[in-house]
């Protein structure tokens, strides 16, 4: 078990080094990265398509990278916005890593890109532990997923700098308990901003884009309490005149690499592969639609 934990920490440590390099690369280009985390079916892709379309219409240079275990379906959808899009296929890996993202961006990210949206693999466990060099980390949950999502996945929601509720147009139909959800968010991440959105009606989409643009303009993002509690993985990201400062942590508790959701805490799901094997070698591939 000790060796497994050591290997897990080695993978995270190497990712942190890659994330630091990626943050510098993006900062030199004047690009702000936004890391979007959610479970499958949250409506993340539909909302991102709306965000990209509005950014393009407003003349804001925006691009997106979307990650999935298989298919380029999401990249095809997002390309309808008119923004440049790339797909990363993870070969079964349940999360993106900073090195994978850097390899996909090099030689592709258009000059002058102000906003880079990164649609992480649909999973609320694995992606929460990996820094992608982002300026803003957003956790999303739909009204169909249940009010207890934040407390069931405290690392994902506890390290978010913004929480977004999706599919609010059907909240009443599915009996969504908004107050219970908000109490759960406050429990794991006191003070984090929460936005309500609907890709179908357009509710909250402009407000979300405005929030992202404020971060791009250097407004300091919310610093989660959980990040302060995990100093071992705490990184202060000072972007100077670019994106605002923020900090977030990586929870050392292990996580499952399976296709489904596992416990975010209290379990013993850890990396069982050494650095240099699948997590570190998984190549980003696929062409832009």
């Amino acid at each position: 078990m000790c060796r497994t934990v050591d290997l897990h920490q080695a993978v995270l440590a190497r990712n942190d080094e890659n994330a630091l390099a990626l943050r510098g690369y993006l900062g030199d280009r004047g690009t702000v990265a936004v890391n979007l985390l959610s479970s499958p079916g949250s409506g993340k892709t539909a909302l991102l398509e709306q965000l990209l379309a509005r950014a393009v219409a407003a003349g804001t240079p925006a691009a997106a990278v979307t990650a999935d275990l298989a298919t380029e379906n999401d990249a095809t959808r997002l390309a309808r916005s008119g923004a440049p899009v790339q797909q990363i296929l993870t070969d079964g890996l349940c999360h993106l890593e900073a090195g994978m993202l850097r390899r996909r961006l090099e030689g592709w990210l258009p000059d002058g890109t102000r906003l880079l949206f990164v649609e992480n693999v649909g999973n609320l466990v694995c992606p929460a532990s990996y820094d992608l060099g982002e300026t803003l980390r957003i956790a999303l949950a739909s009204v169909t997923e249940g009010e207890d999502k934040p407390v069931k996945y405290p690392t994902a929601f506890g390290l978010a700098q913004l929480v977004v509720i999706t599919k609010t147009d059907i909240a009443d139909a599915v009996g969504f308990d908004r107050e219970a959800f908000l109490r759960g968010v406050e429990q794991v991440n006191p003070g984090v901003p929460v936005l309500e959105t609907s890709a179908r009606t357009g509710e909250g989409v402009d407000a979300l884009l405005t929030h992202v643009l404020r971060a791009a303009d250097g407004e300091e993002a919310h610093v989660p309490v959980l990040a302060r509690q995990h100093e071992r993985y705490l990184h202060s990201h000072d972007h100077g005149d670019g994106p605002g400062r923020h900090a977030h942590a990586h929870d050392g508790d292990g996580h499952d690499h399976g296709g489904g959701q596992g416990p975010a805490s209290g379990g013993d799901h850890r990396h069982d592969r050494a650095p240099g094997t699948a997590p570190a070698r998984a190549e980003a591939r696929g062409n832009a639609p």
Side-chain angles (χ1 to χ4, degrees):
M1 178 59 69
C2 291
R3 176 170 170 77
T4 300
V5 173
D6 288 345
L7 294 177
H8 177 208
Q9 302 305 342
V11 171
L12 288 175
R14 180 159 59 182
N15 183 81
D16 287 345
E17 293 174 0
N18 289 334
L20 182 63
L22 178 55
R23 185 167 285 107
Y25 169 78
L26 293 172
D28 289 344
R29 299 175 66 94
T31 301
V32 165
V34 181
N35 187 4
L36 303 174
L37 288 79
S38 78
S39 58
S42 68
K44 180 167 72 267
T45 304
L47 183 61
L48 180 52
E49 185 179 353
Q50 292 290 325
L51 283 172
L52 290 170
R54 295 186 190 212
V56 169
T60 301
V65 172
T66 183
D68 278 303
L69 277 67
T71 82
E72 297 188 0
N73 293 348
D74 285 355
T76 300
R77 289 177 59 188
L78 294 177
R80 298 184 304 202
S81 68
V85 178
Q86 284 278 292
Q87 179 81 50
I88 293 179
L89 300 181
T90 65
D91 288 330
L93 193 64
C94 63
H95 60 275
L96 275 180
E97 294 180 2
M100 298 164 64
L101 181 59
R102 174 72 180 265
R103 289 192 293 273
R104 174 49 67 206
L105 295 178
E106 288 181 335
W108 169 77
L109 185 64
D111 291 337
T113 299
R114 186 181 184 197
L115 302 178
L116 173 66
F117 292 95
V118 181
E119 184 181 20
N120 220 312
V121 178
N123 188 333
L124 283 174
V125 183
C126 308
S129 295
Y130 285 82
D131 184 355
L132 297 182
E134 70 264 20
T135 293
L136 188 64
R137 178 177 288 211
I138 301 177
L140 304 92
S142 72
V143 299
T144 61
E145 295 178 70
E147 300 80 12
D148 59 352
K149 212 70 171 181
V151 294
K152 290 177 74 172
Y153 300 94
T155 303
F157 287 92
L159 291 177
Q161 293 161 296
L162 175 66
V163 172
V164 173
I165 304 172
T166 63
K167 304 184 183 181
T168 55
D169 54 298
I170 59 172
D172 291 340
V174 299
F176 177 65
D177 189 337
R178 180 178 286 99
E179 293 307 314
F181 182 89
L182 294 177
R183 285 196 300 271
V185 170
E186 185 67 13
Q187 178 180 329
V188 301
N189 196 345
V192 66
V194 179
L195 290 178
E196 301 188 22
T197 65
S198 168
R200 178 176 294 177
T201 68
E203 177 193 0
V205 179
D206 286 334
L208 178 54
L209 182 58
T210 297
H211 191 102
V212 171
L213 288 171
R214 287 203 302 262
D217 287 339
E219 182 174 303
E220 186 169 355
H222 169 74
V223 180
V225 171
L226 184 60
R228 303 188 191 106
Q229 294 174 348
H230 291 265
E231 294 183 2
R232 184 176 180 183
Y233 299 112
L234 182 62
H235 309 284
S236 294
H237 303 152
D238 186 355
H239 299 270
D241 295 330
R245 297 180 182 181
H246 76 283
H248 63 79
H250 301 305
D251 190 340
D253 294 340
H255 50 269
D256 187 9
H257 284 272
Q261 298 289 352
S265 63
D268 195 26
H269 304 289
R270 304 179 186 273
H271 288 284
D272 58 359
R273 293 172 287 196
T277 57
R281 285 204 321 261
E283 291 296 327
R285 69 178 190 270
N287 298 316

